[in-house]
Structures are given as C-alpha cells and as structure tokens.
Amino acid sequence: MILPIVAYGDPVLRKKAKDIEKGTLDVKKLSEDMFETMYAASGVGLAAPQIGQSVRMFVVDGQPFNEGESEEDIDPTLVGFKKVFINAEILEEDGDEWAFEEGCLSIPGIRNDVYRPEFIVIRYFDVDWNEHEEEYEGTAARIIQHEYDHIEGKLFTDYMSPLKRQLLKKRLADITRGNVDVEYKMRFPK
C-alpha cells in the first residue's frame, strides 16, 4: 500500500523514534508498504517517521543510482543494496568526510551538499529479527546515514549553514503549508 509521505514541518520528523519490540508490529508488512511508497516517489531510502510512524525502522534500495550507468561507472557499494533496518544503531563512523548533494522525499525540491564520513559500522535487525553488524562505505553508507538521521529526529537541512537555511525559509514554509508540486502523495502538518 502506498502511504502519504510526511512533509517538512510535521513534529514526527523531529522526534527521536522508539525501538520496535518484537511482536508488536508487523515489520514485514510495514517494510513492504515502505518500499512501495519509496518506489512510487522515486526515492532510494525511506524512514518510518516519514510515513508518520515514530519507530526505528528504515528501508533502502540504492540500486537505482546504478541504472543506466556504464559498467565502469557502476557503484559497487550499491549492487544488491536493498535492505530493511530495524532498531539500527550506528556503532562507528570513520574516514574522510565527503560532500554529496542530498535531497529528501519530505522536503521536495530542495537539495544541498552534505558532508558525511566515508565508512560506518551499524548494528540492526532484519524483518525476521536476525541481528546483523555490518560495515558500509561510500554511497551505501551515506544513504544509511541519511535515513538513520530520520530515526534520530534529524534532517539533512540541519547540516546547512544558517545563511542557507535563512535563504530557504520561504520554500520550507511553502512545503509545510502544502504549496509544493510533487508526483507522490504527501501529508502536510495541520
């Protein structure tokens, strides 16, 4: 089921999400709905707070970044990179910080360079409640870090300079009010 994506300005996007207790939520069904919602919006990641659920879960699929690329331009970190992360905890971030232009389905039409560390180690559960501890690098690590920020109540706009945020104030307010043209369902703050 395709769900509406919560727009910038909704308080759920600023809350630190709660851990999911095994058996309290159908995580398989929720992950299917999240993937369907993410694909309908042409995203590569979606966190539960973005569909109005303040729980520590996000889905990622970085494979679309490789579509249409020549063989030498394919990002190996994104091959087969489709996952569900439940109750994730980043244990380590390391390496040089590098810039990449990020956007967010909850903040349509706004993009900005964000500097993030190159490597991460993350512990999480999958939809079968198997625990994993894995290392990611490059674009895969970045996608995870962006979605992880969502379950921590943080947005990519928080990395912008105060001047840049000031310059975007009206556009951000327009998104909150629903004055935005998108090709996917959104839910705006009351």
Side-chain angles (χ1 to χ4, degrees):
M1 177 172 53
I2 297 174
L3 304 165
I5 293 174
V6 172
Y8 179 87
D10 191 303
V12 73
L13 295 175
R14 290 302 189 174
K15 283 185 194 161
K16 185 170 178 162
K18 301 273 187 253
D19 276 344
I20 299 171
E21 288 186 40
K22 186 177 178 179
T24 61
L25 190 62
D26 185 345
V27 293
K28 287 185 179 179
K29 172 72 173 119
L30 182 57
S31 69
E32 288 168 12
D33 290 346
M34 289 175 68
F35 275 118
E36 194 175 345
T37 300
M38 179 185 80
Y39 293 139
S42 301
V44 294
L46 186 69
Q50 292 181 275
I51 55 162
Q53 297 208 31
S54 190
V55 294
R56 295 183 73 80
M57 181 170 166
F58 58 89
V59 299
V60 298
D61 185 350
Q63 295 173 107
F65 275 136
N66 281 337
E67 289 173 7
E69 293 290 336
S70 61
E71 199 168 315
E72 64 268 7
D73 289 333
I74 286 181
D75 184 335
T77 70
L78 301 177
V79 174
F81 181 60
K82 178 181 176 180
K83 290 186 163 290
V84 179
F85 292 82
I86 299 169
N87 298 343
E89 180 186 1
I90 291 182
L91 304 174
E92 188 181 328
E93 293 179 301
D94 200 13
D96 293 334
E97 291 200 353
W98 58 289
F100 188 85
E101 188 180 64
E102 292 187 20
C104 180
L105 296 175
S106 292
I107 313 172
I110 295 179
R111 302 187 67 77
N112 196 66
D113 277 352
V114 176
Y115 286 83
R116 296 188 188 271
E118 190 175 0
F119 302 98
I120 63 162
V121 175
I122 189 168
R123 182 186 305 130
Y124 68 96
F125 293 92
D126 62 27
V127 293
D128 295 314
W129 291 99
N130 297 309
E131 188 173 9
H132 302 269
E133 187 174 309
E134 297 169 345
E135 183 176 314
Y136 292 92
E137 64 179 303
T139 309
R142 172 172 298 278
I143 293 169
I144 292 169
Q145 289 165 316
H146 178 103
E147 299 310 323
Y148 185 84
D149 277 353
H150 276 298
I151 64 173
E152 291 290 311
K154 198 170 185 182
L155 301 171
F156 88 96
T157 52
D158 297 343
Y159 294 92
M160 293 178 179
S161 70
L163 175 61
K164 179 82 175 198
R165 276 198 304 274
Q166 187 64 35
L167 292 171
L168 291 172
K169 199 172 185 173
K170 182 187 178 324
R171 287 180 60 198
L172 292 170
D174 282 345
I175 292 168
T176 301
R177 286 193 292 271
N179 298 336
V180 63
D181 187 26
V182 290
E183 300 288 319
Y184 51 90
K185 293 194 306 188
M186 290 194 79
R187 187 184 94 197
F188 300 96
K190 302 281 182 252

